Amino acid sequence: MLPEVVLFYLFGGLALAGALGVVLMRNPVHSALSLVGVLISIAVLFIIQDAQLLAAVQVIVYAGAIVVLFLFVIMLLGVDREESLDDPLKSQRPLAIAVGVISVAAFVVLADANWTSGDLATRGALKQARTSNVEAVANSLFTTFLWPFQLTAVLLVIAVIGGVVLARRSHLPAREELRELEEQDQLDEQDSEAGKT
Amino acid sequence: MIEIAVPRVDWYSIAPVVVLVAAALLIILFKAIARDRVRTYEPALLIGVLGLALCAFFLTKQWSVVIDDGPADALAHMIALDGFSVFISVIVIIAAILMLLLSSEYLVARGIESRPEYVALVLMSAAGMVVMASANDLIVVFVALEVLSIPLYVLAAYDRTRARSLEAGIKYFVLGAFSSAILLYGVALIYGATGTTSLEGIQTFLATRVLIHEGTLLAGMVLLLVGLAFKVAAVPFHMWTPDVYEGSPSPVTAFMASATKAAGFAALLRILYTALVQYSHDWRQLLFALALVTLLGGTVGALWQTDLKRLLAYSSIAHAGYILIGVQAGTTQGLQSALVYLFVYAFMTIGAFAIVVALGGTDDVHAISDLRAYGRRRPVVAGLLAFFLLAQAGIPPTAGFIAKLGVFAAAAEAQSYALLIAGVLTSVIGAFFYLKVILTMYAAEDEQPVPDELETAELETGTPHPPVGLPVAAVLCVCVAITIWIGVLPTIIIDFARDASLIL
Amino acid sequence: MPTTALELLDLMWIVPLLPLTGAVVLLFAGKRIGEPKAGWLATAMMALAFVWSVVMFLALISLPGEERKHVSDVFTWLSAGNLKVELGFLADPLSITWILLVTGVGSLIHLYAVGYMKGDERYSRFFAYFNLFATAMLVLVLSSSFLLTFLGWEGVGLCSYLLVGFWFERPRASSASLKAFVTNRVGDFGFMIAMFFIVGAIGSLDYTEMAAQAGGISKDTATAIALLLFVGCIGKSAQIGLHVWLPDAMEGPTPVSALIHAATMVTAGVFLVCRANPFFERSDIALDVVAVVGALTALLAGTVALVQPDIKRVLAYSTVSQLGYMFLAVGVGAYSIAVFFVLAHAFYKAALFLGSGTVIHGTEETQDVRRMGGLRKYMPFTAAGFAIAWLTIAGLPPFSGFWAKDGVLAAAFYDESYFVWAIGLAAALLTGFYMTRETMLVFAGNERFRPEPASADSAVDHALVEHDITASPTVDYGTAVAPAHLGHDPHEGAPTMIFPVVVLAGLAMVAGVLELPFHGLEFLTHWLEPTFGSHEAAKPSSFLSGFGLSMLAVAVGVTGIALAFRLYRRGLEDPRVDPIDAKLGPVGRLFGHAWYYDEGIAAAVGGPLRRGALWTAEVLDQKIIDGAVNGVARGVGAAGTGIRRFQTGLVRQYALGIAAGMAALLIWAIWRVGIN
Amino acid sequence: MGDYPILTAIVATPILGALLVLLTPARRPELARAVGLMMSMATLGFSLLLLWKFRTNFGGFQYLEHNRWFDSLGVGYIVGVDGFSLFMIVATALLFPIGLLASARIEHRAKAYVFWFLMLEGAILGIFLSLDLIAFFVFWEAMLVPMYFLIAGWGSANRKYAATKFFIYTAAGSAFLLAAMLVLAFLHQSDTGTLTFDYRVLAAWTTDGMSSSTEYWLFFGFMAAFAIKAPLVPFHTWLPDVHTEAPTAGSVVLAGVILKMGAYGVLRFGFELFPRASEHFAPLFLTLAVIGIVYGSIVAAMQKDAKRIIAYSSVAHMGFILLGIFSITIFGLDGAVFTMVSHPLTTGALFLVIGMLYERRHTRQIDQFGGIWKSAPKLTALFLIAMFAGIGLPAFSGFVGEFLALLGAFAAHRWWAIVATTGVILGAVYMLWMFQRVFTGVPEGENLEIADANGREMLVVVPLLALSLFIGIYPSPVLDRVEPTVKCVIRNFETRTTTIQRPVSDRMDLSGVKGCR
Amino acid sequence: MIAAARLSETYYLTFAVILFGIGAVGLLVRRNVLVMFMCVELMLNAVNVTFVAFARALNDVTGQAIVFFVLVVAAAEVAVGLAIIVAIFRRRRNGATADDIDLLQG
């Protein structure tokens, strides 16, 4: 196995590159694919840090389910049009980047390379003599974290209901307001096409 | 073999949540198995209200337990069972019941589909809020936050035929996800700094250690604050509020303004007053600034609003500012006053939104200018709206005054004089926009006479406006009664809050 | 029977109550009582009051000299802290003298008014005011304390306001009444502050306390009190500086001018100085000021009277001038002489005013002496009465005016106040001149009241005075002569109007016996001794010097008469040309415009003062102060608009808000970590 | 003294009346009016009973009622009456039936009008009776609402602006009041351990319990509210705007009693709670009061609207009141309180007459009038009497108050009083000038047709003027009841401030006054 | 093989911060709602890395357990979020970006 540092830089770099890809790709499909890259790189980083179970779940749930869902929606709705490069909100980009840089720098400065100050193993050690890491985590999920664990079940139910309710095909016609907006959009489109020609 | 020592489940402590979730599932099941012809909405409503009532029943049980035996925790320290949790849960439950009553005819009138699921989602969200009220661990806080928020995203977008509703949903969702990611990062940093996510654990850790490197902890605290400030709509994390409040179906808005705010403040109060109590000097500074800009932003932003719902949204931001004054005090009086405020505000705001519902209107657009001469055209509705607005402005002898008095008293006690001054002054500015609405209803008759056709039409038909339905009327009655009652005889609620401020 | 006398004196309050009853009855039921009866009722009330005053007089005089001072309290008016003011009446020679004057002359003038006001649409109301005035005047003089005097003082001011502006339809009248009241208030300002000082100095406002304690207060305080009281007197008695209202007050009906602005109210200032003499006596400065102001007033008002074309304005300025004499008298310490002067003046000036009223009445409201002449033929009784009064005021012996004026001048001379004496003497010359001028122009010479068919009369209408507080005062000098309009002969007044004139003239003639400057014949001085104490005016060192002085004064008066007689014996050839204008030239214009004092004030009030006030009201108040208030509101409102601009509706921007807030809080955290 | 809670009855009757009015059918406004009149008359009856039974020669509170309200915040329902509040109660109770009678012509939503009017009465009475800071504030703030609705609902053209300005401006002042009250109570709590808003307890504590600088700050917090309400220049600009727009009865009440609340607040709370600060800053407030007198008069003279003149005259009169108050002398306080009793009568009458003119001509612009005296002599007579009563003619009540106030000020601060006395002149200027322009001259056009005052209108105004005359000639009934309380206040100053120098003429032995705290 | 020296958690945490920042900035600058969602996922992943790194540093299970919850939450959020988008797109074929949703403002 390669030394941790190499793996870190390799996959860390990949992940960052992928993240930049998500942000910078003009086509949402490309963004989604970059996201897959990020997720898998992070899964690798998990493995390096002895979180094998999480790495697996990461790949299965994230890369396997979530990103696929994204792609599915993109395809379903046909919204893979590329975004134009210039931002109508002139100050948005510089400000966003400034805020982002300041925040990141702030975190780094605050931590001052001394991120961790807590007590060790307050809720059970991760690395135990006999049992595996997977075991420890699983154990905690059903004991210490039983309550939030149960709640996640509720969460999933909610997601199902919500998804169904919203995405279900409606029997009702759009109201005036929507029609107007659509007409407006069409007019805008015509205008822009006219502008192009 | 792995031995999993499942913790003892204290059913009393989770009964309210269980009841709510069960009722929601029951509704879903019923909807799933019911035949197409069968009316599903009314039974769903019934189940929902019954579930909430049962939940309230369990809450009263919890209350007596807490009062008799003192606060306790349950389920591996994940749940804090104390007066505080019950108090907030009561607010949530009452808000949910009133909200369902408001929705009952509203959904039908608007032709909103999937009505049983609506009830279920409300119950789920309420369950999330109850969990939030008793959360004793940052993880539970986070999960509860999601449990309460995600149904709200859906509910905000529920009127799918209306672009504004959908827009409210997507905006709320995007920003909600963003802020909960921030909050989560805060949880992570605090975890790193203290080695635990348990609120008690954090408190003990901070009480027994002197941290040399406080950076991570402070950053985590900041991020937690950001996430919760978003939920309670504090400036500058408030910008979603006007849009979402305006776009969402009115009952949902009422629910968001009352219950969600209560839940958000519940988490904020519990985290600050227990886990981070050692750092109260620091978070008081932060909240000072937040409260200040929230008061100003909410009040000033409301000045020129032309839509009633939007106006109420800004006013809800301002109210968050007042509650923050109480929170900022960092004292028992502060906690108590914030609780009273949340309680009172729930009724004031639900009452106001009940009026919005009663006003009718096809597109849920409520331009203030449409209220012209309502003092004559619809005297009762206008009078009640005026009443709720004045209550929100904090005019005695309404409950709004008692609420404000409490937080100001807390600020005075904590010697946050600048906040005190800012608070009293912004309530004056605030009075301006409330009065503007009232003026429109009562004093604008001469300048632009109401079009004759409209007037005659109103007169001819006899029932010029959609009649106010019984449930809405009931909500209005309750809200008016409570608002006056607390305004005149506040002892009961103050004592209730005092008992509730014995936080775990 | 001193007990009975005291018991009787306890009923002093009936004196003011009688006219008050008349006033109240007339105010509420005047219309029903009807025209002649209302007047008779009021007159009767006054007559009764006079009778009762005589009873009071008799009661008082029946007491031994030192005990002629009786206070009867009705109830406690004001009691606050250490201060207790009774609503009480003080009977002493001074007040009894004055009530006799007020009720006596008042009755006559009431009687006169019964005829004079005939046919006026507000007949009964006139008498109500008239009676009310009498009440206030009686309270003023009878009161036992400064505060109650002040009540009467203001009350007469109120009635003066109501009566001057009685014909309120006339803008000039309503302006004049306003001016009268406001000017008087300026004086009252002094009166009030004087009372504050008095309370501070002696802790009471009672005259009795004053008499007891005034000797013990510091000279400075006494000076302040005396001067401030004198400010009040200046206002009420139209002394120089605040004299402007009196000539204008002639806009009121003539009985009003006679009663209020000649006989009684305007002499209230003299009364007050007499009453407060313990303070004045403590302060030489105050007395000097009083004397000098009085003398100057006498002179300056006399100059103005020289050239006035209006019959009543001449008398008005004459009144101002005569009041100056009275103050001159008190200023040199001759209180009883001053009182004597007041009495004499009341008689002859009332006669003059009533006579002029008859003239005005008989010539259909002509007041311009240039349009009169030869009236003695048509109104012989009035002319006779007027003439007697004229000679009296001019100071011809043995009429009362002579004794009064001579007494004043002698007192000034022997007080070694030669300056004021000289001024007084000069004023006597003027008096002789302008009164002769008026008498000649009115009653002698050619008749100028008939229309002249040939000349196209310059029908200059009297320009309406603006409804404006700052409007130019009513200066008549230089105005075009009024058009002659009398198609028929002037007529003599009704018997009720003749009678008072004649009686008053008769009184003026003989009143001198009250105070003859011969030992033992100074009845008034003796009578008033309880009030003024042993203080006496300086006496001539010898009979010869006294006689010489008297002769000098008479000579001066006669000179004035002679000069005027020469000039006006034949009346005016052309009504538009008054010979004195040519003689005096620019000085005449100065006199005619009353030294431009009125116009100067009007220009100041109408110009810079008004502009300043307008600026205060419209710019300072509305723009600056209220502007600041509204500006704060507008600023907050602008912030509201600004906040709305941030709310673009774009999610990304909202998210940026969140992120920026987070960054800000993180920066706080860095600062927080940094300081530890 | 009497187990019958008469004070509560006084507060509750109008509020009860308001609720009763709500129950009357909307189609029968005359019923609402009758109920309103009846209940306000009943209140007047109670207050007269109180006046009758009020103990003279007693400086403290009488008819005290002390009930718990919400203890956890130390707030109680404490009412009591002393010399300061007694006549404010009576004046309030008197003005409201008169105001209702004067509003008989209001047809538009008469029921709501009566409702708000009675609510206003209840709130104002509550203000004058409350001895608990929070209860006081509750009434103080609650008073705004009915007044606001009265202006907004029944005012003239610019009423929206006026109503809002009234509400916001005065609420801005009370904001500081509330803040200062809270700080005061909690400082007391941290010092003594008990949280209370009972002003008597706090008053007994303040001088010992806090530094003088704290006292100064809190004093200004209180004064912010009182100065705006009174109003002191330069916080007066809401007053003319509101007066111009308010309905007649609203103006009567506003000028009559609402303005007095500011002065009352100073007497009751400013002086008792913060004697050191009051004494220390007295020159400042004296100066403002004097400015108010002179400035108010000058500005009044230049107004074109008759109501605005009276409004600014109120500014001047309130200047006299505050002058008397801040002279901190027996005379001054006597005079100030007396003026507080007298001013409602005279200004009320003036506003009523102006209102009658407005009803007839639908304008208040002075240049629209002229010669009214000829067409409406009775109306003019009413105005004339009210005017002279107002400008302080002796024999009317205005004089007694002004004289004593100035006397007190003169004793303590000579030059201020001298400048203030010019107000006597200026008052005559603006009032008489207005009278001249409106009532004298020859009537033309519509002014010819003006109807004279009818019986109801006479009934409304005459009692006020008669009372003014009565207490002007015989002020003892008022002064006898006021003075013991005044003496208590002065004694309070003497015992609790070290610096105060009482003027000689005002000095007297105060130890014998009964009932002082 | 080089000795598998354990890398300090600082590396991972710093990495996570940067990832979090990229995600946040991405959300701020992109207009496609779907991409915005993806950016939220980036942020959540950064948090997960943080948790895991802390868990290793503290030798504590909590950090890893939380990641499970985060995963579930992320899934639920995405489901609902995408449903809303679908609902919107049902109604409006055009104007797919977040900037077009601005009926509500002011």
Side-chain angles (χ1 to χ4, degrees), chain A residues 14-94:
Chain A
L14 265 176
L16 289 183
L20 285 174
V22 172
V23 175
L24 296 178
M25 293 290 184
R26 291 174 63 203
N27 190 320
V29 177
H30 298 169
S31 292
L33 293 176
S34 302
L35 184 60
V36 175
V38 178
L39 298 173
I40 291 177
S41 307
I42 287 175
V44 174
L45 293 182
F46 283 171
I47 293 171
I48 307 173
Q49 298 184 76
D50 301 324
Q52 295 83 353
L53 178 62
L54 288 181
V57 178
Q58 170 93 353
V59 172
I60 296 164
V61 175
Y62 252 127
I66 296 181
V67 176
V68 169
L69 198 56
F70 269 112
L71 287 170
F72 180 74
V73 171
I74 292 169
M75 296 307 170
L76 176 77
L77 300 179
V79 287
D80 52 350
R81 275 200 313 197
E82 292 183 356
E83 224 169 295
S84 63
L85 280 175
D86 46 318
D87 195 321
L89 271 175
K90 291 284 170 260
S91 54
Q92 179 79 4
R93 266 181 212 171

Side-chain angles (χ1 to χ4, degrees), chain C residues 31 75-83 87 121-122 125 129 147 150-152 154-155 158 161-162 165 168-171 174-178 181-182 185-189 192-193 195-197 199-201 203 205 466-470 609-610 612-614 616-618 620-622 625-626 629-630, chain D residues 161 165 169 233-234 236-238 240-241 295 298-299 302-304 308 312 330-331 334 371 373-374 377 384 387-388 391-395 399-400 403-404 406-407 410 414 417-418 421-422 424-425 428-429 432-433 435-437 439-442 472-476 479 483 487 504-508:
Chain C
K31 276 241 170 82
F75 59 86
T76 303
W77 180 19
L78 193 61
S79 163
N82 295 320
L83 181 67
L87 196 129
E121 58 171 322
R122 292 186 290 272
R125 207 188 302 162
Y129 295 163
L147 201 65
F150 189 69
L151 186 148
E154 290 279 298
L158 165 72
Y161 172 81
L162 293 171
F168 57 78
E169 294 91 341
R170 302 180 185 172
S174 91
S175 294
S177 64
L178 171 64
F181 196 86
V182 169
R185 276 251 151 172
V186 176
D188 299 345
F189 166 77
M192 283 186 80
I193 294 176
M195 285 195 285
F196 302 153
F197 263 113
V199 173
L205 288 168
E466 277 179 80
H467 255 202
D468 190 334
I469 195 174
T470 59
L609 280 178
R610 190 196 178 121
L614 260 182
T616 311
E618 284 171 6
L620 180 61
D621 196 61
Q622 287 305 300
I625 297 179
D626 201 29
V629 174
N630 289 336
Chain D
Y161 170 75
K165 190 167 187 172
Y169 204 160
V233 175
H236 64 285
T237 51
W238 61 272
D241 289 340
Y295 178 90
I298 291 174
V299 177
M302 289 295 128
Q303 298 304 314
K304 298 179 178 68
R308 281 182 87 86
Y312 277 104
I330 297 176
F331 295 142
D334 273 353
W373 207 342
K374 197 159 184 102
L384 192 70
M387 172 177 84
F388 277 108
I391 62 177
L393 198 76
F399 171 72
V400 177
F403 179 78
L404 287 176
L406 286 169
L407 184 60
F410 187 84
R414 181 167 298 173
I418 289 176
T421 312
T422 58
V424 173
I425 306 171
V429 172
L432 264 55
W433 190 26
F435 182 81
Q436 182 193 15
R437 287 178 291 170
F439 293 97
T440 70
V442 182
I473 294 174
Y474 190 53
S476 307
L479 287 176
E483 198 163 286
K487 285 176 179 163
V504 182
S505 59
D506 196 57
R507 212 174 283 161
M508 63 192 296

Side-chain angles (χ1 to χ4, degrees), chain D residues 286-298:
Chain D
L286 281 173
T287 310
L288 287 180
V290 170
I291 291 174
I293 294 169
V294 177
Y295 178 90
S297 307
I298 291 174

Side-chain angles (χ1 to χ4, degrees), chain A residues 1 3-5 8-9 12 15-16 19-20 22-26 28 31-32 35 38-39 42 45-46 48-51 53-54 57-58 61-62 66 69-70 73-74 76-77 79 81 83-88 92-93 96-97 100 104 107-108 113 115-116 118-127 133 136-137 140-141 145 148-149 152 155-156 158-159 162-163 166-170 172-174 177-178 181-182 185-186 189, chain E residues 1-97 99-100 102-103:
Chain A
M1 191 147 166
E4 190 179 345
V5 62
F8 171 77
Y9 279 117
L16 289 183
L20 285 174
V22 172
V23 175
L24 296 178
M25 293 290 184
R26 291 174 63 203
S31 292
L35 184 60
V38 178
L39 298 173
I42 287 175
L45 293 182
F46 283 171
I48 307 173
Q49 298 184 76
D50 301 324
L53 178 62
L54 288 181
V57 178
Q58 170 93 353
V61 175
Y62 252 127
I66 296 181
L69 198 56
F70 269 112
V73 171
I74 292 169
L76 176 77
L77 300 179
V79 287
R81 275 200 313 197
E83 224 169 295
S84 63
L85 280 175
D86 46 318
D87 195 321
Q92 179 79 4
R93 266 181 212 171
I97 290 167
V104 169
F107 282 121
V108 174
W115 292 85
T116 324
D119 284 346
L120 299 183
T122 52
R123 286 208 178 111
L126 203 53
K127 285 209 164 178
N133 162 352
V137 172
S140 76
L141 281 182
F145 300 110
F149 186 77
T152 50
L155 200 57
L156 290 173
I158 291 169
L166 287 176
R168 175 194 287 169
R169 195 169 286 280
S170 170
L172 295 167
E177 168 197 345
L178 280 168
L181 278 171
E182 274 170 21
D185 290 342
Q186 280 161 10
E189 211 161 86
Chain E
M1 267 182 55
I2 305 159
R6 198 177 122 170
L7 206 56
S8 156
E9 78 274 13
T10 304
Y11 288 81
Y12 296 97
L13 292 168
T14 312
F15 160 80
V17 166
I18 295 169
L19 190 60
F20 189 83
I22 291 174
V25 173
L27 186 122
L28 299 183
V29 299
R30 290 303 299 257
R31 273 165 288 164
N32 189 314
V33 189
L34 287 163
V35 179
M36 290 167 92
F37 286 2
M38 293 179 205
C39 291
V40 174
E41 300 306 325
L42 287 181
M43 293 167 75
L44 289 177
N45 269 286
V47 178
N48 283 349
V49 172
T50 310
F51 271 120
V52 170
F54 278 133
R56 186 162 75 137
L58 298 168
N59 188 22
D60 185 37
V61 289
T62 315
Q64 290 203 9
I66 291 175
V67 175
F68 276 98
F69 301 124
V70 178
L71 284 171
V72 178
V73 166
E77 268 188 357
V78 166
V80 170
L82 291 176
I84 296 176
I85 291 178
V86 169
I88 290 177
F89 276 70
R90 281 268 166 75
R91 296 288 162 193
R92 305 182 64 187
R93 297 281 162 201
N94 305 306
T97 71
D99 279 13
D100 298 314
D102 60 350
L103 275 175

